Amino acid sequence: MILGIETSCDETAAAVLFSPRGDRTPKLLSNVIYSQAKIHRKTGGVVPEIAARAHIEQIIPTIAEALRSARVSLAEIDGIAVTAGPGLLTSLMVGVDTAKTLAMVLHKPIVAVNHMEAHAYSTLIEIPPKKTKLLFPALALTVSGGHTELLLISGWLKHKKIGQTLDDAAGECFDKVAKLLSLPYPGGPALARLAERGRATIAFPRPMISSGNFNFSFSGLKTAVLYYLRSEGSKIKNKRFRARVAASVQEAIVDVLVAKTIAAALKHRVKNILLGGGVAANHLLRQKLKAESYKLKSNFLAAQPEYCTDNAAMIAYAGWLHMQRGDYTPIKKVRANADWEL
Ligand code: KG4
Ligand code: ZN
């Protein structure tokens, strides 16, 4: 019975995962998320100090709720998995200190989980054992607010980063363009909703799409949108125009993500393409990557929508993968690490 804890950014989350003996598929008993979105809407983005304070207020009620809805007592927990990084340092510290305190008081083992590793494997939560036989090699595209990464996975927890963004993450690009259009926080989902009402008729750049490597760059795209909006003046108030801009930016981001992922999948002849992270909730990205994966005869697995944006289910699951291999973290070494690279 594993308790997962996640506080890396602006979501306070706890989950309970149960692994029956002899069965490879663990079962999620609860998955509780307290979102701070309302709080950060006032400032149009996350202010770290405010996020940390909200985590401090919410972490105990969130864990209590995760245990209550799983109908499990603290005494029944066998291990604790906590996000140690990457993320906002002061946010991470709240989850890490709470998890360490629990591990010490309960005399239970603890695993420090890398948030991006958890996003990559979140596609496999509750996957039936039958499907895991032909899983590897797999390629994971993990797209979140702070990271855009391509991981080549040769076996359980055996992965190598083969590409990443050189500047802004895909989610950051969604968020920044949403801000240019004065959409409310969080910008990504708001921009995606607006995009549904328009056609992608504006030819924004597809940065690095034919760079020959698997790295990404999105800051130039954001700047291109900024200049375009300036040049079009008062049209920004027009509903149809705004929807056209949103659809065109979304398509540019998705095109680059799909092209790079497919090129990497071809090169490494992967059997499965996995998609995780907050931006994986985007319908167009899911649709296009699925269609292109099938053309390659590669299987496609996207994280279920509730496991795309930040959650503790994926932390408990990644923790379980480590614990199964006897890979625990000595409690003294469990530390918040804002820049923890995979
Ligand atoms: O994984 P996540 O919840 O947090 C981080 O680890 O950063 O990802 C959050 C990011 C934000 O940039 C948010 O705008 C974006 O995911 N996002 C979306 C959608 N839902 C969330 N971007 C595009 N379309 C969506 N439907
Ligand atoms: Zn995340």
Side-chain angles (χ1 to χ4, degrees):
M1 197 75 77
I2 297 168
L3 174 66
I5 297 174
E6 153 68 38
T7 63
S8 69
C9 186
D10 61 341
E11 243 85 52
T12 317
V16 178
L17 185 101
F18 174 58
S19 166
R21 246 175 242 283
D23 186 345
R24 285 194 58 84
T25 311
K27 214 173 145 30
L28 205 61
L29 301 186
S30 67
N31 183 29
V32 176
I33 301 171
Y34 168 77
S35 169
Q36 303 176 2
K38 248 190 192 166
I39 299 173
H40 301 304
R41 203 160 289 152
K42 287 176 208 149
T43 44
V46 179
V47 177
E49 163 92 11
I50 293 172
R53 277 169 192 252
H55 282 307
I56 290 169
E57 277 170 24
Q58 291 305 323
I59 188 76
I60 300 295
T62 303
I63 292 173
E65 175 59 20
L67 292 167
R68 198 196 58 75
S69 65
R71 296 171 185 268
V72 164
S73 72
L74 255 188
E76 289 172 274
I77 296 295
D78 300 307
I80 294 165
V82 63
T83 307
L88 300 171
L89 185 66
T90 45
S91 286
L92 290 163
M93 280 162 64
V94 178
V96 165
D97 278 352
T98 308
K100 285 172 81 169
T101 307
L102 284 173
M104 200 181 86
V105 172
L106 299 169
H107 300 284
K108 296 297 175 193
I110 183 165
V111 173
V113 171
N114 180 293
H115 184 84
M116 294 315 290
E117 181 178 278
H119 270 310
Y121 288 91
S122 69
T123 41
L124 305 172
I125 299 175
E126 291 175 331
I127 188 173
K130 252 200 301 184
K131 275 201 166 180
T132 62
K133 283 202 184 104
L134 290 173
L135 200 56
F136 305 115
L139 178 74
L141 171 68
T142 42
V143 268
S144 69
H147 296 79
T148 303
E149 295 178 350
L150 276 169
L151 286 191
L152 185 61
I153 311 179
S154 56
W156 290 106
L157 297 179
K158 287 187 191 136
H159 41 252
K160 192 171 93 183
K161 190 157 55 179
I162 58 167
Q164 63 185 330
T165 182
L166 303 178
D167 42 56
D168 290 356
E172 207 171 343
C173 189
F174 267 100
D175 295 338
K176 286 181 174 169
V177 171
K179 237 182 178 176
L180 294 177
L181 291 169
S182 310
L183 293 169
Y185 175 87
L191 192 83
R193 274 196 301 278
L194 182 59
E196 277 168 25
R197 288 188 261 142
R199 284 183 46 220
T201 51
I202 309 158
F204 287 124
R206 268 74 172 151
M208 289 182 76
I209 199 158
S210 353
S211 65
N213 59 29
F214 304 128
N215 289 330
F216 303 87
S217 162
F218 290 105
S219 77
L221 174 56
K222 171 206 66 195
T223 312
V225 179
L226 173 71
Y227 288 149
Y228 180 78
L229 290 176
R230 273 191 196 155
S231 73
E232 295 294 311
S234 62
K235 272 195 192 166
I236 195 164
K237 292 185 190 131
N238 179 291
K239 264 190 193 163
R240 281 196 183 166
F241 172 79
R242 292 163 60 80
R244 257 200 326 270
V245 171
S248 306
V249 177
Q250 174 176 253
E251 194 174 83
I253 297 172
V254 168
D255 278 356
V256 178
L257 292 173
V258 172
K260 295 265 166 168
T261 307
I262 293 300
L266 255 174
K267 178 170 179 200
H268 295 282
R269 298 174 185 209
V270 300
K271 292 197 179 92
N272 282 278
I273 293 177
L274 317 179
L275 175 65
V279 183
N282 185 274
H283 290 301
L284 186 71
L285 176 60
R286 293 172 87 92
Q287 258 174 26
K288 281 202 170 181
L289 196 54
K290 185 177 180 178
E292 293 301 317
S293 303
Y294 287 170
K295 278 190 205 159
L296 276 191
K297 302 217 172 7
S298 190
N299 199 17
F300 174 72
L301 288 164
Q304 289 180 44
E306 67 265 40
Y307 306 141
C308 286
T309 42
D310 288 348
N311 64 87
M314 67 179 192
I315 305 303
Y317 183 71
W320 173 76
L321 289 174
H322 281 281
M323 286 182 204
Q324 275 223 318
R325 286 154 187 78
D327 179 14
Y328 299 95
T329 316
I331 195 160
K332 272 194 205 156
K333 296 212 166 151
V334 182
R335 272 191 216 120
N337 179 355
D339 309 310
W340 186 4
E341 290 263 345
L342 266 184

